[in-house]
């Protein structure tokens, strides 16, 4: 199996499954509160126990994201953070010995402006393993083009499903996915919430019936007990806003490392299917 791209992502889920647990998958926006701090935060997430990191690419109109990540993206853009900068951050992390999967999560316009073929070529060359693009339906022409370019370069294309997705939509999206499928826990935007939806397990089961790919759940997870709750039913647990929110705190790297470690412990102490 390949040691990068889809192969690296597949290996992480396989290893977590062998240990009887879900994978911990934090998100963080590159360039927030500044580029150098974000590099240190991403490295701290690895030290805290991340199995895979969603590397946030800032965009001015992040329609799937709530106020916390919107503000982080705006700050990053004001500092001039570009797609090229994000790719360089991935390269720097690889040079520092980071070996876990690094998946770029961003929106289509900046990727299109970079050039899809060039983007996938450079992402693979710099050490990224795939893409999550919330505003790019996999069954539309642009989505098909990006999927083809990802496949050509061994990268994963990870689409999203929502609780409102129909059975037909679930079939289309899971057939287009590689690496894993991203399940949005709520019908809304990213952001910490006090409680998870009561029908989340039923949603996961509905998608599970349609694919053998790992299923990662994100949106609304902010506490170790919530991470543990999701880890019992999904293959991966994504936490973003709760970590990004600490980006402007005093000693952000240390505080984010501490929260990520507690979230990772929450995931690890919740055996799958418990």
């Amino acid at each position: 199996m390949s040691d990068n791209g889809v192969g690296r992502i597949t290996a992480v889920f396989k290893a977590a499954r062998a240990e009887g647990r879900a994978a911990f998958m934090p998100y963080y926006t590159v360039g927030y509160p500044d580029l150098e701090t974000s590099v240190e935060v991403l490295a701290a997430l690895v030290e805290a126990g991340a199995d895979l990191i969603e590397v946030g690419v800032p965009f001015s109109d992040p329609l799937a994201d709530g106020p916390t990540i919107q503000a982080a993206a705006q700050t990053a853009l004001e500092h001039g953070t570009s797609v090229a900068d994000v790719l360089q951050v991935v390269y720097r992390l690889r040079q520092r010995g980071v070996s876990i999967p690094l998946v770029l999560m961003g929106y289509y316009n900046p990727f299109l402006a970079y050039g899809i073929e060039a983007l996938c070529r450079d992402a693979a060359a710099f050490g990224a393993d795939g893409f999550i693009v919330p505003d790019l339906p996999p069954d539309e022409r642009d989505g098909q083009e990006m999927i083809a370019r990802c496949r050509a370069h061994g990268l994963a294309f990870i689409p999203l499903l929502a609780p409102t997705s129909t059975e037909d939509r679930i079939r289309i999206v899971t057939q287009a996915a590689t690496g894993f499928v991203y399940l949005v826990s709520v019908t809304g935007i990213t952001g910490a919430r006090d409680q998870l939806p009561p029908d989340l397990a039923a949603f996961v089961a509905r998608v599970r019936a349609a694919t053998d790919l790992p299923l990662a759940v994100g949106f609304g997870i902010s506490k170790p007990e919530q991470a543990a709750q999701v880890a019992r039913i999904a293959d991966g647990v994504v936490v973003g806003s709760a970590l990004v929110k600490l980006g402007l705190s005093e000693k952000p790297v240390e505080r984010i490392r501490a929260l990520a470690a507690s979230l990772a412990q929450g995931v690890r102490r919740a055996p799958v299917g418990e």
Side-chain angles (χ1 to χ4, degrees):
M1 182 176 289
S2 170
D3 61 355
N4 56 22
V6 177
R8 180 149 44 195
I9 294 171
T10 300
V12 159
F13 283 106
K14 184 177 180 180
R17 172 68 66 176
E19 297 173 10
R21 64 173 179 86
F24 174 51
M25 306 163 58
Y27 164 98
Y28 196 80
T29 307
V30 170
Y32 181 71
D34 56 69
L35 192 64
E36 293 308 315
T37 301
S38 67
V39 172
E40 297 308 315
V41 166
L42 291 166
L45 292 175
V46 179
E47 296 164 1
D51 294 295
L52 177 154
I53 294 178
E54 294 183 7
V55 180
V57 182
F59 178 51
S60 58
D61 187 21
L63 58 86
D65 290 307
T68 299
I69 294 179
Q70 285 182 23
Q74 187 60 39
T75 298
L77 291 171
E78 288 170 357
H79 292 165
T81 307
S82 65
V83 173
D85 290 327
V86 176
L87 292 172
Q88 285 292 334
V89 166
V90 169
Y91 179 74
R92 290 172 61 183
L93 291 170
R94 295 300 186 209
Q95 292 300 301
R96 290 172 62 161
V98 171
S99 60
I100 66 171
L102 300 172
V103 174
L104 304 188
M105 183 167 184
Y107 293 83
Y108 191 54
N109 271 3
F111 292 156
L112 182 63
Y114 192 96
I116 299 303
E117 168 57 23
L119 174 71
C120 292
R121 178 199 65 209
D122 291 350
F126 289 6
D129 298 298
F131 291 94
I132 300 170
V133 191
D135 60 347
L136 185 62
D139 50 335
E140 294 186 2
R141 185 182 63 181
D142 288 344
Q144 291 290 309
E145 169 64 16
M146 186 150 189
I147 289 170
R149 294 298 93 211
C150 283
R151 285 178 177 164
H153 292 281
L155 301 171
F157 179 84
I158 299 142
L160 291 84
L161 285 167
T164 52
S165 297
T166 64
E167 302 309 313
D168 189 49
R169 192 70 196 158
I170 290 173
R171 178 184 57 79
I172 292 170
V173 167
T174 53
Q175 288 180 353
T178 46
F180 65 94
V181 184
Y182 193 128
L183 307 189
V184 177
S185 71
V186 296
T187 51
I189 55 178
T190 60
R193 291 170 173 80
D194 291 333
Q195 293 184 332
L196 296 173
D199 57 352
L200 180 59
F203 172 41
V204 174
R206 208 155 54 89
V207 181
R208 180 98 56 202
T211 182
D212 293 329
L213 284 171
L215 307 180
V217 173
F219 287 39
I221 305 163
S222 62
K223 304 171 185 174
E225 55 268 31
Q226 291 175 324
Q229 183 180 347
V230 174
R232 295 186 182 98
I233 58 172
D235 304 296
V237 181
V238 182
V239 180
S241 296
L243 297 166
V244 174
K245 191 174 183 178
L246 298 176
L248 286 182
S249 64
E250 187 177 354
K251 298 183 177 179
V253 176
E254 289 79 359
R255 291 197 63 188
I256 291 171
R257 181 191 289 112
L259 176 58
S262 66
L263 290 161
Q265 290 171 5
V267 170
R268 283 171 168 74
R269 66 171 178 257
V272 173
E274 183 181 58

